[in-house]
């Protein structure tokens, strides 16, 4: 999620500030390989279609900068924002705290309680949300002594370890949180499948 956020930021910064450096590199490349470049201040005319009235309304620089450079980056940003909107990023970021990094020794209880409150309000009663906080505190203590609970690399591993160690009964609310989060890949895969099918049908119709 940090990589996705960084990618969004870099693409947006490149869209706003990257044109000048890009066109400078293109000019150097063309000069080095003796490739002719159009006069960027001249009026743009299409080489693929018959001249149209609007061809005379923009310069080559405007066409390459706005219609190609900016438009392409906008499409990439739109795709990322569609697949990883702010809610999805927050949800996945909060859920990732259930899988401990080596430098951490405890689950971030506040993050998990916030995740449940924001995204699974109908799956937990108010009393269960209070109990979940106590279960997480106990789990953090036991996890230090039990490598079967702490030595996990994925949420699926955590879910499996809770079952094999019979801790899913003791920490049944934590087990419920993990199982709810594990439904995400199914939803994501379904969405991607629909998106791919729509693209295939569109290509076929064309």
């Amino acid at each position: 999620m940090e990589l996705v956020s960084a990618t969004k930021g870099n693409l947006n910064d490149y869209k706003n500030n990257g044109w000048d450096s890009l066109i400078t590199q293109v000019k150097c490349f063309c000069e080095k390989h003796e490739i002719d470049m159009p006069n960027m201040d001249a009026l743009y005319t299409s080489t693929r279609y018959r001249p149209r009235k609007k061809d005379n309304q923009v310069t080559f620089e405007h066409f390459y900068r706005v219609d190609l450079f900016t438009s392409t980056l906008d499409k990439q940003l739109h795709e990322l924002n569609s697949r990883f909107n702010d809610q999805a990023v927050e949800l996945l970021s909060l859920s990732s705290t259930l899988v401990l990094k080596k430098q951490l020794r405890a689950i971030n209880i506040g993050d998990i309680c916030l995740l449940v409150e924001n995204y699974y309000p109908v799956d937990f009663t108010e009393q269960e949300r209070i109990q979940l906080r106590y279960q997480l505190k106990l789990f953090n203590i036991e996890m230090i002594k039990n490598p079967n609970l702490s030595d996990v690399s994925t949420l699926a591993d955590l879910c499996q370890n809770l079952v094999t160690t019979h801790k899913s009964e003791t920490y049944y609310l934590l087990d419920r949180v993990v199982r709810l989060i594990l439904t995400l890949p199914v939803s994501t895969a379904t969405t991607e499948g629909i998106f791919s099918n729509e693209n295939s049908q569109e290509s076929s119709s064309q």
Side-chain angles (χ1 to χ4, degrees):
M1 289 302 95
E2 291 175 355
L3 180 59
V4 170
S5 298
T7 300
K8 286 184 182 181
N10 286 337
L11 284 174
N12 192 60
D13 180 69
Y14 189 55
K15 182 186 74 170
N16 295 329
N17 306 303
W19 169 256
D20 289 337
S21 62
L22 174 63
I23 197 64
T24 298
Q25 293 176 26
V26 171
K27 288 179 179 178
C28 291
F29 179 87
C30 290
E31 290 174 359
K32 179 179 178 180
H33 297 279
E34 298 182 350
I35 300 173
D36 291 334
M37 272 191 66
N39 180 359
M40 301 301 282
D41 295 325
L43 294 178
Y44 171 75
T45 54
S46 174
T47 58
R48 296 181 58 189
Y49 309 101
R50 293 180 179 179
R52 297 169 296 180
K53 291 183 179 181
K54 69 176 184 179
D55 287 341
N56 297 324
Q57 297 174 356
V58 299
T59 61
F60 274 94
E61 180 178 5
H62 181 279
F63 172 74
Y64 285 115
R65 181 172 187 170
V66 177
D67 294 352
L68 294 182
F69 176 77
T70 302
S71 178
T72 300
L73 291 172
D74 279 339
K75 289 178 180 178
Q76 293 177 332
L77 284 167
H78 176 73
E79 181 69 13
L80 278 174
N81 288 326
S82 297
R83 293 176 179 267
F84 300 98
N85 57 37
D86 291 340
Q87 285 188 330
V89 169
E90 182 185 32
L91 173 58
L92 293 173
S93 297
L94 290 174
S95 63
S96 69
T97 61
L98 281 168
V99 179
L100 296 181
K101 297 179 180 179
K102 291 183 179 180
Q103 65 270 28
L104 300 177
R105 294 185 177 180
I107 288 175
N108 190 315
I109 296 174
D111 282 352
I112 302 307
C113 291
L114 180 63
L115 181 149
V116 169
E117 181 179 349
N118 288 349
Y119 296 98
Y120 304 109
V122 298
D123 296 289
F124 296 84
T125 65
E126 183 177 354
Q127 185 63 32
E128 285 178 331
R129 288 197 291 271
I130 296 174
Q131 292 176 348
L132 173 63
R133 184 176 291 273
Y134 287 109
Q135 283 192 14
L136 290 171
K137 289 181 179 179
L138 291 174
F139 183 79
N140 274 338
I141 295 173
E142 183 173 358
M143 185 172 51
I144 297 174
K145 303 177 181 179
N146 191 341
N148 290 326
L149 297 177
S150 59
D151 190 19
V152 296
S153 58
T154 67
L155 285 174
D157 290 339
L158 176 59
C159 184
Q160 183 177 0
N161 287 1
L162 285 172
V163 174
T164 56
T165 58
H166 303 290
K167 295 299 181 180
S168 58
E169 299 176 5
T170 305
Y171 304 108
Y172 62 94
L173 293 175
L174 171 59
D175 181 69
R176 189 189 304 174
V177 173
V178 174
R179 291 174 185 273
L180 285 169
I181 295 171
L182 286 174
T183 63
L184 280 175
V186 177
S187 302
T188 303
T190 302
T191 302
E192 291 178 351
I194 294 173
F195 180 80
S196 299
N197 290 335
E198 288 178 348
N199 281 348
S200 298
Q201 292 173 2
E202 183 179 350
S203 299
S204 299
S205 62
Q206 291 176 351

